[in-house]
Amino acid sequence: MIRYAGDFVHSLPGLAGTSREPNVQPCLTDPAVYEKVLKKVRSTLKSHPKATIISVSQNDSYADGLGCQCENCRAIDEREGTPMGSLLTFVNKIADAIKDEYPNVYVDTLAYRYTRKAPKTVKPADNVIIRLCSIECCFSHDLDSDCPQNEEFKRDIEDWAKISKNLFVWDYTTDFLYYIIPFPNLKVLYDNVRFFVDHNVTGLFEQGNYQSVSGEFGELRAYMLAKIMWNPDMSERQYERIMDDFLEGYYGAGWQYIKEYINKTSELSAGSHMGIYDSVKQNLSLEGKDILGVIGELEALWRSALEAADEEHYANVERSSLQIRYAKLLLLWDDDTSPAELEELYGLLKKYNITRFREGVSVPEDPYFTTPLAEWR
Ligand SMILES: [Zn+2]
Ligand SMILES: [Zn+2]
């Protein structure tokens, strides 16, 4: 059983006593930082005697984030061709210092943003876990496809697979700009989990909407991920059958309309790239299309599913249908949209306890969605 010591994945600020502001990273060649982190790692492990993993990971970082730019850190990073050079050197040293005292503990470090690329010569120690993060990837195309947006990640995972004994992945499975809008990755998930297994990945964290009831396919996605992670050898047909079984059980008599919706949105989505902070227009590849017509068709499928649903399944259908209602609002709202329509949608979000739009942003207490419509479309 895996047990974690400590409380937050971006652990270096807490261990080194430095700033938690994103993009601020401690100096990893400063002996005082090393001593401080080692001391804190030891005391954390002492207070978590059953822990098998401790995270010694960079602070959070935006796309433009960099590591420490001092002369010593840069010398290692330039030699290794990646800022992971100084980070992994540091992590290996910590792992080496604790290995005799804690032979069952792994030191986990993120290969994330600016540290995603593997170093040229430094290799992770046997008791180090590399947790490679797919945050920049495109998820309308699978990782093994020829999507140019996944090319670098593919190269990185191949490089890590060659040198890591313990390769984990932190993968992203929903839209983090809006948890509720369509994110048609259900088919791609199948390919991606198998892709990870094929690249020696032995630990997988699939991050979705972890803060609110889903108004999209959160439940279905979690179910499908559990199934494919349990048995990554299943055929695509088996995966589809499992999905159908869920849809029928969860949405009732009109489930085939929802399956059709999934197929249609997956097809649309394949027409462009889809990152985890993209808009609904991008996720459904609607540029240059008859948006009213496409949304109308998708809405009709949910309407049919609702009409077919009995009392037991109605709420599930209605809650998941909020994805298209909210998508429509973002795409087609104008001054003529009736206030009653906005109020109705808002009432449904409340009814189903959908409290978060995105990481760190609550659904505003405003039935007219003033801020989202002005700023977040
Ligand atoms: Zn430095
Ligand atoms: Zn793509």
Side-chain angles (χ1 to χ4, degrees), residues 57-75:
S57 280
Q58 69 193 66
N59 190 21
D60 206 351
S61 153
Y62 300 133
D64 60 349
L66 297 167
C68 176
Q69 296 296 298
C70 83
E71 206 183 317
N72 292 336
C73 288
R74 279 180 55 179

Side-chain angles (χ1 to χ4, degrees), residues 138 140-141 147 149-150 272-274:
C138 162
S140 58
H141 305 125
C147 170
Q149 294 201 2
N150 293 336
S272 58
H273 305 297
M274 179 174 78

